[in-house]
Amino acid sequence: MDYTFDNFCGRDPSHLIEVAEFKNCRLTAPTAEAFLAMCKAAQQDGIDLAPASSFRDFDRQLTIWNEKYMGDRTVLDNHGQPVNIGQLTGIEAAYAILYWSALPGFSRHHWGTDLDVYSPALMPENYELQLVAAEYDKDGIFHPLTQWLDQNMEKFGFYRPFTDDARVRVGSELWHISYRSEAEKFLPFVTRKNIEDLIRSSPIAGKYCLLNMVDELYDDYIINETNKDQHFNT
């Protein structure tokens, strides 16, 4: 399938299908097929694998960004501690947000090829999922899932685009997996011009700061957020 720029930036989800096995899960058809096959294999090994988040549209990503920039949503630093956005300059606030959240229009969650995953069976009763490193690291409740993915996800075409060895300025996400062959089809849309055009055309908080950061956004964040294998990095 040939994808469009509106598919890429989360404004047109017509390239996606509903994955009936899970609530509120939309993916490209090849991604869904591969993910369901991986879920079945995990189940056979005693691992309950499910999506916590899949497709996220442009407007949702814009809301997340604007709420963080305006101080209406918590922003965490690289140690998982809250940041006082009100004490930062506009550019400093953008840096803080970008550590965990992609620029609207450039989130991999727009594509339908990427998922945040967890294991419901490993959660204690009344536990609220956080999607933080402590849950997936050695002593975390989802560490068995982390180990299973380490050993098996590549067999099904998945990999982690956000890892410590693949990025510099954004956080490591052990819960975020990507279906490589489909995700690579969106990479031609990653250009400086598209970054600038999306910022200019959107009611995004910090617009003028971001317009002065286009080159840096492209080099240090957008590239790193889209294709880790070429040291291309929420």
Side-chain angles (χ1 to χ4, degrees), residues 76-81 100 117-118 122 124 127-146 164 171-175:
L76 301 179
D77 65 16
N78 59 331
H79 299 296
Q81 299 302 309
W100 292 113
V117 297
Y118 75 119
L122 293 175
Y127 184 85
E128 185 175 347
L129 179 66
Q130 302 173 65
L131 292 179
V132 295
E135 295 175 317
Y136 292 79
D137 287 339
K138 185 176 180 180
D139 296 323
I141 61 171
F142 298 134
H143 185 59
L145 172 60
T146 298
D164 286 331
S172 178
E173 299 182 359
L174 293 173
W175 54 88

Side-chain angles (χ1 to χ4, degrees), residues 11-203:
R11 286 177 167 159
D12 176 12
S14 63
H15 63 302
L16 307 178
I17 64 168
E18 295 280 352
V19 183
E21 288 81 356
F22 299 105
K23 184 179 180 180
N24 298 324
C25 181
R26 284 189 285 176
L27 300 168
T28 69
T31 304
E33 182 179 2
F35 182 65
L36 290 174
M38 187 165 69
C39 289
K40 183 177 180 180
Q43 187 177 41
Q44 291 172 348
D45 290 339
I47 296 293
D48 181 27
L49 174 60
S53 176
S54 55
F55 170 73
R56 186 184 307 141
D57 69 19
F58 178 88
D59 288 339
R60 177 59 179 158
Q61 192 71 20
L62 181 66
T63 296
I64 292 170
W65 178 278
N66 285 352
E67 288 181 352
K68 287 188 173 185
Y69 197 92
M70 301 306 295
D72 297 325
R73 180 188 289 258
T74 301
V75 176
L76 301 179
D77 65 16
N78 59 331
H79 299 296
Q81 299 302 309
V83 174
N84 189 339
I85 285 289
Q87 294 183 346
L88 304 181
T89 67
I91 291 178
E92 289 171 342
Y95 289 151
I97 296 167
L98 285 164
Y99 192 81
W100 292 113
S101 296
L103 193 71
F106 289 88
S107 170
R108 296 180 66 109
H109 281 286
H110 296 330
W111 306 349
T113 62
D114 287 51
L115 310 93
D116 295 333
V117 297
Y118 75 119
S119 182
L122 293 175
M123 293 172 59
E125 187 176 359
N126 298 321
Y127 184 85
E128 185 175 347
L129 179 66
Q130 302 173 65
L131 292 179
V132 295
E135 295 175 317
Y136 292 79
D137 287 339
K138 185 176 180 180
D139 296 323
I141 61 171
F142 298 134
H143 185 59
L145 172 60
T146 298
Q147 291 180 304
W148 191 90
L149 290 171
D150 287 345
Q151 296 168 9
N152 296 281
M153 64 181 169
E154 290 187 7
K155 301 174 188 176
F156 299 91
F158 288 90
Y159 79 114
R160 291 191 187 94
F162 304 127
T163 60
D164 286 331
D165 61 351
R167 54 170 60 189
V168 177
R169 306 190 71 168
V170 291
S172 178
E173 299 182 359
L174 293 173
W175 54 88
H176 185 128
I177 62 173
S178 177
Y179 188 51
R180 188 189 299 272
S181 61
E182 282 288 281
E184 288 176 347
K185 296 177 183 179
F186 289 91
L187 298 180
F189 296 110
V190 182
T191 68
R192 286 180 172 83
K193 183 179 186 304
N194 283 341
I195 296 170
E196 184 172 355
D197 288 348
L198 275 173
I199 294 171
R200 287 191 185 279
S201 65
S202 306

Side-chain angles (χ1 to χ4, degrees), residues 203-223:
I204 186 170
K207 175 179 293 192
Y208 297 107
C209 289
L210 292 169
L211 286 172
N212 288 322
M213 298 168 60
V214 168
D215 286 342
E216 184 174 1
L217 289 170
Y218 178 81
D219 291 334
D220 295 337
Y221 293 98
I222 305 303
I223 290 297

